[in-house]
Amino acid sequence: MSDIINILPESVANQIAAGEVVDRPASAVKELMENALDAGATHIQLIVKDAGRTLIQVVDDGCGMSEGDARRCFERHATSKIRQANDLFALHTMGFRGEALAAIAAIAQVELQTRTHDNELGTAVTVEGGRILNQSACSTAPGTSISVKNLFFNVPARRNFLKRDSVELSHIEETFRRIALAHCDVAFSFYSNDRPLYELRVANLAQRITHLFGDAYKERLYYIEEHSDIVSLHGYVGKIDFARRTRGDQYLYVNGRFIKHPSLGAAIEKAYADLIPDRHYPGYFVMLEVHPDRIDVNIHPTKTEVRFIDEHAIFAILRAAVKKALGLYSLDSRIEFDPSTEIDFSPAPAGYIPHEPKIQYNSAYNPFNEHRSAGGGRQQWENFFDEEDKSSAHEPAPQLQLPPQEPVQPATCIQVGGRWIVGALPSGLLIVDQQRAHERILYERYCARNDDASPQQLLFPVTCTFSPADAEILAELLPALRRQGIIAEPFGRNSYVVSAVPDNGCEPQLQQLLQETIADYKASLMQPADKDPLCLALARRMAVQQGVTLCQEEMQQIVADLFRCQTPQYSPSGQRCMAVLSDQELTEVINTR
Ligand code: ADP
Ligand code: MG
């Protein structure tokens, strides 16, 4: 038998490697921007056309490349950042594999112009499908400009696999934000189809956050800072009132690198336990500094995953830092200092014999039997580190529906705790969570709608302003919003005027409603879900919230509408809406309490 093993030609090998490094325009953006940062740039421009399909250009004023390097940088394993294996463990740069430019050049038409600061003339190189077509001297500003044209031009399968422009642009925008947040000492600009989306000047972290996310964020964040031998951290965490139902603005960095670290993310979220409603998530922008010897960033090719040697300690420090910020700042504005509660530390009179304190305890109490309450409950220290992620609860398949049709309504309902609607049914005691139930009702109503809802004209139309990128997303959502009764029209730069809202009695906070709808919609673009994101977002925002007092008629309406739903047991986000306690269960309750 003859030999059958071939060595792949370099160009094929590069194309295969390219698939791992560059899977969509946003990943090319990431690599190019990180190279610019590694080159010490103080100003980086990102220019994209057609969400990066036609053009991704990154222009920097960094160190530039020599004539030889300008050619060499496109070769595989070409890197100026490591020379020997040991360097791998002392990395302070973003890139080090020497793969990115080779990969990008293998699947696009690339034009490089670069000049070092001590050279009069620069070098221009044109590469296509991995082959250098042309190299010449050129006059150009010091620094580097790389244009990546027609990404995946020679990999049609991948090109066809790209999502709509709005999806790809959302990914690029997210990449841009992640990088810009970590490098406040660098100015950035971002143009999409010749429109400026962001112009970020050198700033501190708080300013960078508001430049990226809007001025409203000024009021939404607390500062955190903590220093120890294991970790130094600083940043901002969201105030409890601004917790959202999506894990939107969660940015965690280690040594200037954006990371995804579910357990450290949970450390922050746990600091909010009991302070924010179920299934709400805080926003955060947190920078960790850890000695490079104590982390391993090289476990994932795109390097958003990191392993920490001192993970448990960092978890505890991070959680404590967030708690401190929440406690320190939120208490002082809420609780007025009452001198009468001051503890009296005056010494006891001479000869005073204190009573031995009597400790009362319940000998039957077993902490391991305790049920956690619905709101997340008190944190048990045993599961401090490894509590299951509550968000993994899923709505069960519809065939599991129970109880069967409940034809009868309670004659009277009462509202308990601003949250529960309670009433008697022939089968037992009905308990309905008003907010979740209303979300379910609205969600099914919105999804079922095939013609436009009857809008209710606003007496005073409301103008809402967004970031340029969000304004663009909203343009895409207008027809769907109109179907739900929200009429918004473009009104100058990045603004919309809303002239009508759905005719269902709720007067929503429009700016917030639209902002959060956009956020949910963007999240769904990046992580497609089986739910209609717009209906879900609207249902969540329009539903009656916890704490709202309902009259008898409103309670009856919610119960009746809920019973008519296809899946009355669960809210659209998969939480229980209702329960019926049977006679037997009620007996058990009364006997065990
Ligand atoms: P890596 O960043 O992992 O080293 P890349 O393929 O991204 O690999 O880049 C290869 C090399 O090209 C870099 O190590 C660097 O020397 C050079 N280079 C790339 N982009 C730039 C830039 N914008 N400015 C200066 N040098 C650059
Ligand atoms: Mg690189």
Side-chain angles (χ1 to χ4, degrees):
M1 191 176 146
S2 57
D3 297 345
I4 52 168
I5 296 179
N6 296 320
I7 302 294
L8 288 175
E10 182 77 359
S11 61
V12 179
N14 278 345
Q15 253 193 39
I16 295 171
E20 284 165 27
V21 183
V22 184
D23 59 345
R24 62 187 343 148
S27 29
V29 168
K30 171 173 182 285
E31 296 295 341
L32 296 177
M33 289 184 69
E34 289 185 347
N35 280 346
L37 288 166
D38 283 344
T42 61
H43 184 196
I44 298 175
Q45 291 180 64
L46 168 64
I47 299 158
V48 303
K49 293 231 159 86
D50 305 320
R53 238 179 269 266
T54 322
L55 173 73
I56 298 167
Q57 185 179 8
V58 172
V59 184
D60 70 58
D61 60 355
C63 63
M65 282 180 263
S66 69
E67 196 187 330
D69 283 351
R71 191 176 49 247
R72 235 179 336 264
C73 71
F74 292 108
E75 283 168 29
R76 207 150 164 225
H77 308 305
T79 179
S80 55
K81 298 165 198 172
I82 48 173
R83 298 201 180 273
Q84 49 189 20
N86 264 349
D87 293 350
L88 265 179
F89 301 97
L91 271 172
H92 295 277
T93 60
M94 299 285 163
F96 53 84
R97 295 164 160 256
E99 267 174 352
L101 286 184
I104 293 170
I107 48 162
Q109 296 151 345
V110 179
E111 287 169 23
L112 163 72
Q113 292 197 331
T114 186
R115 167 153 90 87
T116 57
H117 287 248
D118 49 9
N119 254 335
E120 295 278 300
L121 264 188
T123 311
V125 179
T126 316
V127 192
E128 183 174 304
R131 283 183 307 127
I132 296 194
L133 298 186
N134 184 37
Q135 172 162 10
S136 58
C138 72
S139 72
T140 178
T144 303
S145 158
I146 299 188
S147 302
V148 176
K149 296 182 175 168
N150 302 319
L151 195 66
F152 303 127
F153 80 103
N154 53 354
V155 200
R158 207 164 263 284
R159 194 171 172 85
N160 296 338
F161 196 70
L162 290 179
K163 299 278 185 347
R164 293 200 313 281
D165 277 8
S166 55
V167 178
E168 296 302 339
L169 191 63
S170 291
H171 283 278
I172 293 176
E173 213 198 318
E174 181 61 17
T175 302
F176 177 85
R177 276 196 297 257
R178 286 177 183 176
I179 292 177
L181 275 169
H183 299 92
C184 299
D185 51 346
V186 176
F188 292 90
S189 29
F190 179 4
Y191 295 84
S192 164
N193 294 341
D194 299 324
R195 255 167 56 88
L197 292 191
Y198 295 97
E199 288 280 3
L200 307 175
R201 52 177 198 275
V202 172
N204 60 31
L205 179 59
Q207 293 162 333
R208 180 63 45 104
I209 292 171
T210 55
H211 294 160
L212 280 165
F213 295 89
D215 276 350
Y217 274 71
K218 272 189 197 141
E219 313 297 321
R220 297 189 178 183
L221 301 170
Y222 290 130
Y223 183 64
I224 65 168
E225 186 172 351
E226 206 64 58
H227 299 280
S228 76
D229 292 346
I230 294 168
V231 62
S232 270
L233 64 89
H234 78 283
Y236 291 87
V237 295
K239 294 187 183 174
I240 49 180
D241 296 344
F242 296 100
R244 294 217 315 229
R245 296 191 203 220
T246 47
R247 286 196 169 87
D249 312 327
Q250 299 192 329
Y251 295 87
L252 183 64
Y253 294 81
V254 60
N255 301 352
R257 197 187 293 275
F258 176 87
I259 57 164
K260 283 196 179 136
H261 199 286
S263 146
L264 291 187
I268 300 177
E269 288 179 5
K270 281 187 179 143
Y272 288 78
D274 295 340
L275 295 174
I276 57 181
D278 241 10
R279 289 184 154 250
H280 279 57
Y281 304 100
Y284 53 79
F285 306 87
V286 175
M287 313 288 168
L288 309 176
E289 299 292 332
V290 177
H291 194 281
D293 286 353
R294 309 295 286 174
I295 51 178
D296 178 3
V297 287
N298 202 12
I299 56 171
H300 191 273
T302 58
K303 289 170 269 153
T304 50
E305 282 167 28
V306 172
R307 259 196 321 238
F308 293 86
I309 294 176
D310 308 304
E311 181 177 325
H312 281 199
I314 296 175
F315 182 106
I317 293 169
L318 181 56
R319 179 166 173 263
V322 179
K323 280 206 135 170
K324 187 164 114 189
L326 294 175
L328 271 182
Y329 299 109
S330 55
L331 282 182
D332 61 7
S333 62
R334 286 185 182 187
I335 300 178
E336 268 192 284
F337 185 64
D338 175 2
S340 67
T341 59
E342 240 183 323
I343 300 167
D344 182 5
F345 282 117
S346 51
Y352 171 78
I353 301 169
H355 293 295
E356 194 183 328
K358 288 214 164 41
I359 300 169
Q360 291 190 335
Y361 66 96
N362 171 3
S363 59
Y365 175 73
N366 176 352
F368 299 101
N369 286 341
E370 194 180 38
H371 290 298
R372 282 203 293 128
S373 68
R378 250 180 309 139
Q379 195 68 47
Q380 299 279 332
W381 65 266
E382 290 91 346
N383 47 28
F384 189 76
F385 289 123
D386 52 11
E387 198 195 350
E388 224 186 301
D389 183 358
K390 278 179 271 162
S391 69
S392 58
H394 283 299
E395 188 173 335
Q399 66 263 29
L400 290 181
Q401 281 188 25
L402 46 97
Q405 287 298 306
E406 190 62 73
V408 201
Q409 283 265 139
T412 343
C413 292
I414 55 167
Q415 191 184 19
V416 179
R419 173 169 183 188
W420 311 104
I421 302 173
V422 179
L425 290 176
S427 51
L429 184 71
L430 171 74
I431 306 172
V432 171
D433 181 307
Q434 65 187 46
Q435 179 175 346
R436 294 177 187 178
H438 201 208
E439 280 177 24
R440 162 55 60 191
I441 295 162
L442 293 178
Y443 177 72
E444 292 198 5
R445 194 174 295 162
Y446 294 159
C447 289
R449 193 165 270 164
N450 356 327
D451 46 317
D452 290 4
S454 60
Q456 175 196 330
Q457 294 296 326
L458 289 173
L459 215 48
F460 302 104
V462 180
T463 308
C464 304
T465 305
F466 305 93
S467 75
D470 282 358
E472 216 143 89
I473 295 264
L474 188 59
E476 209 171 281
L477 288 174
L478 292 182
L481 285 169
R482 177 177 284 261
R483 206 169 317 128
Q484 305 301 347
I486 299 181
I487 299 184
E489 273 157 46
F491 184 67
R493 202 162 171 258
N494 305 327
S495 293
Y496 286 81
V497 60
V498 183
S499 57
V501 296
D503 185 11
N504 68 355
C506 283
E507 281 267 334
Q509 288 279 335
L510 282 170
Q511 172 83 41
Q512 200 185 345
L513 171 84
L514 293 177
Q515 197 79 61
E516 300 199 337
T517 305
I518 293 168
D520 279 3
Y521 181 69
K522 277 201 290 196
S524 78
L525 288 177
M526 297 208 250
Q527 248 171 18
D530 53 348
K531 299 270 172 3
D532 181 323
L534 185 70
C535 294
L536 187 58
L538 282 177
R540 285 168 167 176
R541 310 294 169 240
M542 301 295 286
V544 52
Q545 304 291 305
Q546 272 179 32
V548 174
T549 311
L550 301 174
C551 68
Q552 185 60 227
E553 205 183 346
E554 289 165 331
M555 289 189 279
Q556 295 283 356
Q557 188 68 48
I558 287 181
V559 173
D561 290 347
L562 182 66
F563 284 175
R564 262 186 247 118
C565 283
Q566 282 175 2
T567 315
Q569 290 80 17
Y570 293 93
S571 76
S573 0
Q575 294 167 295
R576 289 300 287 241
C577 290
M578 57 177 278
V580 180
L581 293 187
S582 65
D583 273 4
Q584 195 193 339
E585 283 167 313
L586 289 170
T587 316
E588 273 169 28
V589 169
I590 209 156
N591 287 339
T592 52
R593 292 291 146 94

